[in-house]
Amino acid sequence: MKIVLAPDSYKNSLTAKEVAESMRRGFEKVYPDAEYLNVPMADGGEGTVQSLVDAKDGKIVTETVTNPLGKPTQAHYGLIDEDVAVIEMAEASGIQYINQFTQNPYITTTFGTGQLMRSAIKNGAKTIIIGIGGSATNDGGAGMAQALGAHLLDENNEELQYGGAMLAKLEKIDISEMMPELKDVKVIIASDVTNPLTGPNGASHVFGPQKGASDEMVEFLDDALSHYARIIKRDLQKDLETTPGAGAAGGLGAGLLAFTNSQMRSGVDIVIDYTGLKEKVQDADIVVTGEGQIDFQTKFGKTPIGVAKATKAVNPKTTVIAIAGSVGEKISELYPLGIDAIFTCVPGVEELSKAIQDTDKNLQQVSENIARLIKNTK
Ligand SMILES: O=C(O)[C@H](O)CO
């Protein structure tokens, strides 16, 4: 019997590697002699760096970079397979850096994300996987581009200062001094949303308010991003304003597409490829996946669905089980997509903090019970 444990992390509780280990310990009580394979997973969001580093035995690199408010901070990224870097933009430019007193998308910058990319390239990265979303920024990735050496110039040929509002002053883009190594680097973008750069569904209108933009600021920022897109089209010959995902992370999606050799892909598919999940589940009898919360939204590219689809594609007979900390609405929508059964590991009504604290124990318990049921019905 071969059992593959391929969960995502449980937010604020266990890493994906730890979740896989807890599940495995539960199954081992019933099937001590089975062949087990732990494959920590992620979908491009929080935890992607840690999961890929764990899955590939990579290393974490720490850098001092500029946070969205222009202050120094420590941020991490991963290096795997010698020349592949894994970055979560939120590490350097995420919404956790701002609060109700400091939030101001006119000035917040993605400069720190560009510094992480620069460091990764200096460390030999030829491919950068970058998860984008959860940002404090609305600068269209302008800061990221500047950190990589692009010049964004105003009418006096002066470099633009940080922030989304400054884009209104952009007159010219000069990429002649961007890092020369960049042209040999492939950037794979895992975006958390498919919104366009501008308009009613764009970065400023949909995500600006959560970063502190008032109605007036939203309009100004949206116009500024439109202007930025026009200059990009003229100077870099890339037409990105309506591209799906260009509006992710305050337009960092557009910035990456404009300034780097990049493509957008589903985050979980990227992780499936890099972990070789399909080969690993080919001869599996049972695949166990999971995430802190599972509900109908899981079908929009979250880890459990990615794992289920990948498994059924190579072996339709394999049983795919998902275990969640909490199970929400309309999970029946997930069954036709490849998840055979969904369980929650929380034993009863209790405080969230207690459930989080007991995740390891609870996961072992539910995993053991699932294994018992399988053994009994074989
Ligand atoms: O960062 C943001 O703006 C949102 O997470 C959408 O990408």
Side-chain angles (χ1 to χ4, degrees):
M1 161 104 84
K2 179 172 176 185
I3 302 172
V4 175
L5 298 315
D8 206 318
S9 57
Y10 278 31
K11 203 170 173 184
N12 299 327
S13 177
L14 300 182
T15 65
K17 184 180 173 186
E18 290 166 337
V19 173
E21 199 43 43
S22 305
M23 291 169 161
R24 175 181 178 149
R25 281 204 291 270
F27 271 85
E28 270 174 347
K29 289 188 186 135
V30 182
Y31 289 115
D33 300 324
E35 178 191 350
Y36 291 93
L37 201 54
N38 292 8
V39 191
M41 294 295 296
D43 61 14
E46 198 186 330
T48 301
V49 169
Q50 192 63 54
S51 293
L52 275 174
V53 165
D54 286 341
K56 306 286 289 185
D57 231 355
K59 66 172 184 181
I60 297 275
V61 181
T62 305
E63 276 290 343
T64 303
V65 298
T66 301
N67 79 12
L69 296 167
K71 303 256 161 37
T73 189
Q74 298 252 295
H76 312 280
Y77 64 92
L79 278 178
I80 59 172
D81 293 349
E82 307 236 314
D83 62 356
V84 178
V86 191
I87 294 176
E88 289 167 34
M89 75 80 66
E91 261 291 307
S93 318
I95 198 156
Q96 75 280 9
Y97 287 107
I98 56 173
N99 60 39
Q100 55 171 320
F101 304 110
T102 58
Q103 59 187 9
N104 182 354
Y106 275 178
I107 61 165
T108 46
T109 180
T110 51
F111 197 84
T113 296
Q115 288 175 300
L116 288 184
M117 294 170 72
R118 174 176 277 275
S119 163
I121 294 167
K122 288 284 176 211
N123 277 324
K126 292 273 179 270
T127 299
I128 296 178
I129 299 168
I130 179 162
I132 67 171
S135 69
T137 52
N138 206 99
D139 75 344
M144 173 278 303
Q146 287 171 313
L148 293 172
H151 296 298
L152 304 188
L153 304 167
D154 67 14
E155 60 178 1
N156 300 318
N157 242 11
E158 306 268 355
E159 193 73 43
L160 292 190
Q161 302 293 305
Y162 294 153
M166 287 297 150
L167 295 175
K169 297 191 171 174
L170 181 63
E171 278 296 318
K172 188 171 133 202
I173 296 174
D174 173 5
I175 56 168
S176 61
E177 291 186 5
M178 282 190 89
M179 290 182 84
E181 300 93 323
L182 191 62
K183 59 179 179 326
D184 300 318
V185 175
K186 187 167 85 181
V187 177
I188 306 175
I189 309 167
S191 163
D192 67 339
V193 296
T194 54
N195 297 62
L197 183 62
T198 60
N201 294 322
S204 315
H205 277 278
V206 179
F207 305 106
Q210 76 196 29
K211 304 167 191 178
S214 63
D215 291 352
E216 195 187 324
M217 289 168 87
V218 164
E219 292 303 333
F220 189 88
L221 288 165
D222 189 55
D223 286 349
L225 283 178
S226 244
H227 174 69
Y228 177 56
R230 277 194 297 279
I231 306 277
I232 286 175
K233 190 171 171 189
R234 188 197 66 199
D235 292 358
L236 304 179
Q237 291 77 50
K238 292 195 182 166
D239 189 356
L240 300 167
E241 205 162 351
T242 57
T243 306
L252 176 63
L256 287 167
L257 290 168
F259 291 93
T260 67
N261 302 320
S262 50
Q263 60 170 139
M264 295 240 178
R265 287 195 60 199
S266 130
V268 68
D269 286 350
I270 298 168
V271 177
I272 285 169
D273 281 359
Y274 274 87
T275 54
L277 185 76
K278 282 193 177 155
E279 293 91 81
K280 290 176 176 155
V281 296
Q282 211 150 24
D283 54 349
D285 299 286
I286 301 169
V287 172
V288 189
T289 183
E291 190 161 24
Q293 155 88 12
I294 290 184
D295 56 29
F296 71 97
Q297 294 197 38
T298 299
K299 71 180 178 191
F300 301 121
K302 301 284 203 159
T303 293
I305 280 301
V307 170
K309 283 186 176 164
T311 303
K312 299 286 179 174
V314 292
N315 192 347
K317 292 218 173 88
T318 304
T319 302
V320 178
I321 296 163
I323 307 176
S326 132
V327 172
E329 304 232 324
K330 298 194 236 162
I331 53 164
S332 55
E333 293 183 18
L334 307 180
Y335 302 137
L337 300 174
I339 299 184
D340 295 303
I342 301 170
F343 297 84
T344 168
C345 67
V346 179
V349 179
E350 59 186 21
E351 292 281 327
L352 179 61
S353 56
K354 170 102 174 82
I356 286 176
Q357 190 188 319
D358 290 346
T359 307
D360 171 36
K361 185 179 85 186
N362 293 343
L363 269 170
Q364 287 194 47
Q365 182 168 291
V366 72
S367 302
E368 178 183 347
N369 276 302
I370 293 167
R372 283 178 171 280
L373 180 67
I374 293 170
K375 193 162 190 188
N376 231 307
T377 51
K378 280 254 180 237

